[in-house]
Amino acid sequence: MANPPRRLDRSGLVLLCIFLRTLRTFGTGQIRYSVPEETDKGFLVGNISKDLGLESRELAERRVRIVSRGKTQLFALNPRGGSLVTAGRIDREELCETVSSCFLNMEILEEDTLKIYGVEVEITDINDNAPSFREEEVEIKVSEHASPGSRFPLPNARDPDVGVNSLQSYQLSPSSYFSLQVRGGTDGAKNPELVLDGGLDREKEAAHLLLLTASDGGDPIRKGTVPIRVVVLDVNDHIPKFTQSVYRVTVPENLSSGTRVLVVNATDLDEGINGEVMYSFRNVESKASEIFWLNSQTGEVLVGKSLDFEKFKFYEMEIQGQDGGGLLSTTKLLITVMDVNDNAPEIAITSSVNSVLENSPSGTVVALLNVQDQDSGENGQVSSFIPNHLPFKLEKTYGNYYKLITSQELDREQVESYNITLTATDQGSPPLSTEIHLFLKVEDANDNPPVFTCSSYSTYIPENNPRGSSIFSVSALDRDSRENAQVSYSLTDATIQGAPLSSYVSINSDTGVLYALQSFDYEQFQTLQLGVTARDNGDPPLSSNISLMLFLLDQNDNTPEILYPALPTDGSTGVELAPRSAEPDYLVTKVVAVDRDSGQNAWLSYRLLKASEPGLFSVGLHTGEVRTVRAVLDKDALKQSLVVTVQDHGQPPLSATVTFTVVVADSIPEVLADLISLESPANPDESGLTLYLVVAITAVSCVFLIFVVVLMVVRLRRWHSSHLLQAASGLAATPPSHFVGVDGVRAFLQTYSQEVSLTANSGKSHLIFPQPNYADTLISQESCGKSEPLLIAEDSTTILDKCDPTNIQVRYISLLLNSLFLMLFNMPNSHTYRADFFLLHLIVSFKSLKDTLFTFVHIE
């Protein structure tokens, strides 16, 4: 029986580890360590941080880790000490059963920089296994006639250790009949043989018990034993003979279980049971005995379990043939396993990212891959590729590692994500391939400004819109995503008629809807130009601008405004003059009106709504001119009341009316006389007021008359003393016409317009009194040939030569007297005279005096 293994002394183990551990850096960047087997978990293998040129704390900061390829993790990184330690028990015999030198390769990944470092760890052997025999007991049958020197093969001991710790020697217990001889095999193995030293006598001793001991060279030495029982047989003088001393066969690794590999054959010339040969494996390693089966009767060698070239490429077995008499012979069976392309390439993603920014530069690392094939030769040569239409490429880095990098800048707006298919294909026949899919999302960068749906906007809105109503909506799209695509709207800073734009229009920053903060007035402005800015929430934010033109639509919200005849402030009507001699189509006056609206809303039409004498006057539909339809008859009333309406063409139409009186008379005195005769008897209570007014007018008139006479004398003297006229000819026009109320009727205050034309060194001067000047009817003031006579009294007219300079004083004196006559001779009886009509006399008289003075002062 084998001796039980003894535990290795801990102190000696540590000294051995320190002695065996070495570190060597190759030109390829590979780091090498050595560590003894059977060490405890956490045993120090080497200072990896120092060998990588890093501080201990940087292992965690740079995310340095061991790349695992699905195998049991035997080593680990100690982030505190920066060292490589064992992750558990390491058994060299389990890892490298058939290899004398045991090396484990692994990769260290620095994720921050995606650098790969190769690390090779040699597992050094310790004497932890004692030599052992497969058989618990060996029985050898020897003929009693066997001659001395006969050799009988003994079983080989197996020691998984290597080197000095492996099997070194055999010893046989002392015997007078047998001795031990060890012969070396071609493969370096030690084959023990039992040598017969003397003749046997079955009758004296039918069986001999021996003990075969196998020893290794470790410290301490370990041993294994097997008992040998030698049975002395009767004579069997022929041993089985194999047809070949060595059987060689090559089989593919893809043979199924139960497939026959070959048949061994041995013959025995003896008869009976001594000629029957039984086959069995001898000195077969445990792995081979599990893989192959041997038919003990036929000699067929069958495949018991699947072959794997990647695990075992070669099997060496010894088959013995033993006849019934106990004689046996051996032969060797050498089986070579031929590689078959039965392993598809393996792709392992060592490190990868789930997303990458779209503006990342070309060459950005997306993933680190490991590609390998367990086959050998061409079957293990792998080529990796990705589809050509993708903006990525593979670059080989270290060993079987590849980097998947971008070949150009990505654009999320074109492709938001990529499903990258990585394919690895070997060179076998037929080739095998493996595909994996890597999903990569393209993260958005703020590289697209908001874009409005139109290059410019315009809209029409009616005026008088409600305050706070929505008037328009703009929209901008941003091709980016998330916060980079969140668009906010704002109005550019501007002013409208001195007021900020924000006081007229506001915009919803989220929806782009514009709201009117005021009710717009078309008459204030017709267009409103806005600048709208759309800005995203990226960093930095991007923006774009657009112009929005608002056109106001006019509404009929303004009634026509009558400019002439102007309405008096006392509620009475205006007065226009029409001569009795007026012919049909005579222009009496013109109604002038405007409308602040525009377009159809400002088209005005004039209509005669009411007249005292229907058929006497007409109003132009579009001009507003009031003309006579027929000649004025004596039976026609002196006062003609007309009501004219002005209407626009809006919907609904708006209108305005004006009421005025047309007095049929040829002069102001006639007008006054006729008005006096038409007045109704005054109230007796007003007689006192009338007396006071008469006294006041008389006093003021006397003072004014004296002043005018003195002034005229002074002016006449200066005129006579001057030889040349200093003043240029010009127009001295009176102020615009006004109206004064008289019994609900306004009297025309200015009846005449005087024009004086003086020419130096000329014998002629002009004083013109044209016809009454009506509102907005322009009277052409031409030469003195078109001058009108001066009216001196109601029933007397004196025609003066207005071109004679000697009569200028007479003209103005006559004008002055005419004013006085109006005031004095037309004074009514105080009992029948009303105060307001008397006030008309007073105002007319003062007006005439003032105009006379004003004209006279400007003669020069």
Side-chain angles (χ1 to χ4, degrees), residues 340-342 379 425-433:
V340 176
N341 192 25
D342 59 342
N379 298 330
T425 304
D426 59 26
Q427 304 298 321
S429 179
L432 300 179
S433 62

Side-chain angles (χ1 to χ4, degrees), residues 397-708:
T397 56
Y398 169 81
N400 294 325
Y401 283 90
Y402 293 85
K403 286 194 301 184
L404 177 63
I405 62 175
T406 58
S407 60
Q408 64 185 41
E409 286 193 2
L410 307 180
D411 189 352
R412 190 204 65 84
E413 287 69 41
Q414 293 184 359
V415 181
E416 293 185 356
S417 61
Y418 292 92
N419 191 5
I420 307 170
T421 302
L422 298 101
T423 304
T425 304
D426 59 26
Q427 304 298 321
S429 179
L432 300 179
S433 62
T434 301
E435 289 185 354
I436 65 170
H437 299 278
L438 180 63
F439 182 79
L440 180 66
K441 183 179 180 181
V442 182
E443 291 290 342
D444 182 51
N446 193 26
D447 56 347
N448 291 282
V451 178
F452 285 93
T453 54
C454 297
S455 58
S456 63
Y457 293 94
S458 63
T459 185
Y460 295 85
I461 58 174
E463 64 171 334
N464 304 321
N465 54 290
R467 295 182 60 183
S469 62
S470 99
I471 55 177
F472 196 66
S473 175
V474 297
S475 177
L477 300 178
D478 196 315
R479 297 177 61 195
D480 296 322
S481 64
R482 291 186 296 181
E483 65 273 3
N484 296 329
Q486 294 176 1
V487 180
S488 59
Y489 302 90
S490 62
L491 297 176
T492 57
D493 294 334
T495 58
I496 301 176
Q497 296 181 356
L501 177 63
S502 58
S503 64
Y504 289 90
V505 178
S506 68
I507 188 170
N508 188 310
S509 60
D510 297 326
T511 62
V513 178
L514 285 91
Y515 297 93
L517 301 181
Q518 295 185 12
S519 180
F520 297 141
D521 188 358
Y522 178 84
E523 287 70 40
Q524 185 180 4
F525 51 80
Q526 288 76 42
T527 59
L528 187 62
Q529 186 172 6
L530 311 176
V532 181
T533 300
R535 180 177 286 102
D536 58 29
N537 290 331
D539 185 18
L542 301 178
S543 62
S544 59
N545 299 319
I546 200 68
S547 176
L548 169 62
M549 185 68 72
L550 299 180
F551 296 96
L552 297 183
L553 298 177
D554 183 47
Q555 300 292 310
N556 192 27
D557 58 342
N558 291 283
T559 59
E561 181 181 353
I562 298 176
L563 302 180
Y564 186 84
L567 297 177
T569 58
D570 59 355
S572 60
T573 60
V575 176
E576 298 290 343
L577 290 179
R580 293 185 179 273
S581 59
E583 297 294 332
D585 200 35
Y586 176 80
L587 177 61
V588 177
T589 186
K590 182 176 182 179
V591 178
V592 179
V594 294
D595 195 318
R596 296 180 61 193
D597 295 325
S598 64
Q600 183 174 332
N601 297 328
W603 295 352
L604 301 180
S605 59
Y606 303 84
R607 291 180 179 83
L608 183 59
L609 187 62
K610 183 179 179 182
S612 302
E613 187 69 34
L616 180 58
F617 299 98
S618 66
V619 178
L621 180 62
H622 302 296
T623 62
E625 295 178 348
V626 179
R627 296 179 179 272
T628 58
V629 178
R630 56 177 175 81
V632 180
L633 304 178
D634 293 338
K635 66 178 181 177
D636 293 331
L638 173 63
K639 294 192 307 180
Q640 297 289 334
S641 178
L642 302 181
V643 180
V644 177
T645 180
V646 183
Q647 181 177 308
D648 58 26
H649 287 73
Q651 290 296 329
L654 301 178
S655 62
T657 60
V658 61
T659 302
F660 59 92
T661 301
V662 178
V663 178
V664 180
D666 292 326
S667 62
I668 289 294
E670 183 181 352
V671 171
L672 296 177
D674 291 340
L675 290 176
I676 292 172
S677 63
L678 295 174
E679 290 296 324
S680 59
N683 190 343
D685 296 336
E686 298 178 352
S687 60
L689 178 60
T690 302
L691 178 62
Y692 295 140
L693 292 176
V694 170
V695 173
I697 290 175
T698 304
V700 173
S701 299
C702 291
V703 174
F704 185 74
L705 181 60
I706 294 172
F707 173 75
V708 171

Side-chain angles (χ1 to χ4, degrees), residues 248-252 307 309 313-315 334-338:
R248 291 182 174 86
V249 65
T250 300
V251 296
L307 302 176
F309 174 84
K313 303 178 179 62
F314 180 78
Y315 296 92
L334 305 179
I335 300 177
T336 302
V337 179
M338 183 177 60

Side-chain angles (χ1 to χ4, degrees), residues 74 333 374 390 430 451 476 529 599 648 746 854:
L74 300 177
L333 173 59
Q374 298 296 334
L390 296 179
V451 178
Q529 186 172 6
D648 58 26
R746 298 178 66 96
F854 181 80

